[in-house]
């Protein structure tokens, strides 16, 4: 079961605030799924969510998956102990998304594929301001041992603290 789904064009005026999303499990986006939606999440805790089955290579976005022009805004959110069998243990953004993270913490998340904390793929522009990334693990089971993985996308880290993660820090590939 997935925690929340935003799939009806919700905008920034749609606000989710002050809750904990925990133990969500889905093929992709264990805690939340955003498709062509851009709500505001404030003081939300994503705790122990999982994407994918407990075995196999599929499953992206342990805490959440944003897909296809989704641009949610996260303010003072915590992403803790989320996991996935493939990409982006906490954050997985895919296909022209532009999420913004302000004063968020990411710790003790793990992925077997690229993005021990963040997976940013195909035309996405993800911005992180005053965020902290610590203790995130990328097992590199399928290669790509990076805390941040960005492919044909822009990754903007502003005044962020990154320490104690188990993998190399950043992979960025643009044509």
């Amino acid at each position: 079961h997935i925690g929340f789904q935003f799939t009806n064009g919700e905008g920034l005026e749609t606000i989710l605030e002050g809750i904990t999303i925990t133990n969500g499990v889905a093929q992709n986006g264990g805690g939340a799924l955003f498709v062509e939606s851009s709500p505001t999440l404030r003081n939300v805790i994503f705790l122990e969510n999982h994407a994918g089955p407990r075995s196999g290579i599929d499953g992206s976005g342990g805490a959440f998956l944003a897909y296809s022009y989704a641009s949610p805004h996260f303010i003072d959110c915590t992403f803790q102990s989320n996991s996935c069998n493939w990409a982006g243990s906490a954050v997985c953004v895919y296909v022209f998304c532009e999420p913004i993270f302000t004063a968020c913490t990411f710790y003790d998340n793990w992925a077997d594929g690229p993005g021990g904390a963040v997976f940013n793929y195909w035309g996405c522009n993800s911005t992180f301001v005053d965020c902290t990334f610590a203790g995130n693990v990328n097992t590199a089971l399928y290669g790509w041992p990076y805390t941040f993985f960005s492919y044909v996308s822009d990754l903007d880290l502003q005044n962020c603290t990154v320490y104690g993660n188990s993998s190399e820090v950043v992979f960025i590939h643009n044509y």
Side-chain angles (χ1 to χ4, degrees), residues 71-121:
S71 298
H73 192 172
F74 299 87
I75 303 165
D76 292 318
C77 293
T78 300
F79 300 84
Q80 179 183 354
S81 301
N82 299 287
S83 59
C84 67
N85 289 89
W86 180 235
S89 63
V91 176
C92 182
V93 292
Y94 188 73
V95 184
F96 305 111
C97 297
E98 296 187 0
I100 298 172
F101 302 83
T102 305
C104 294
T105 57
F106 301 81
Y107 59 98
D108 297 332
N109 300 290
W110 68 262
D112 282 337
V118 176
F119 182 77
N120 195 44
Y121 191 80

Side-chain angles (χ1 to χ4, degrees), residues 16-172:
L16 185 62
E17 184 171 11
I19 67 164
T20 298
I21 301 171
T22 189
N23 295 319
V25 177
Q27 186 67 31
N28 294 295
L33 175 66
F34 304 92
V35 179
E36 297 179 6
S37 296
S38 303
T40 299
L41 287 80
R42 186 179 299 125
N43 295 312
V44 173
I45 299 170
F46 290 86
L47 177 65
E48 297 178 352
N49 298 289
H50 181 75
R54 291 284 174 199
S55 63
I57 192 169
D58 42 5
S60 295
F64 78 84
L65 172 72
Y67 178 75
S68 184
Y69 300 94
S71 298
H73 192 172
F74 299 87
I75 303 165
D76 292 318
C77 293
T78 300
F79 300 84
Q80 179 183 354
S81 301
N82 299 287
S83 59
C84 67
N85 289 89
W86 180 235
S89 63
V91 176
C92 182
V93 292
Y94 188 73
V95 184
F96 305 111
C97 297
E98 296 187 0
I100 298 172
F101 302 83
T102 305
C104 294
T105 57
F106 301 81
Y107 59 98
D108 297 332
N109 300 290
W110 68 262
D112 282 337
V118 176
F119 182 77
N120 195 44
Y121 191 80
W122 206 259
C124 295
N125 299 307
S126 297
T127 301
F128 298 85
V129 180
D130 297 325
C131 294
T132 300
F133 298 85
N136 297 292
V137 174
N138 179 306
T139 66
L141 181 64
Y142 303 108
W144 307 296
Y146 302 98
T147 300
F148 302 96
F149 187 92
S150 187
Y151 186 83
V152 192
S153 295
D154 291 325
L155 182 65
D156 186 8
L157 301 171
Q158 301 174 21
N159 198 39
C160 292
T161 303
V162 180
Y163 68 95
N165 299 288
S166 72
S167 57
E168 297 177 44
V169 178
V170 178
F171 172 87
I172 296 176

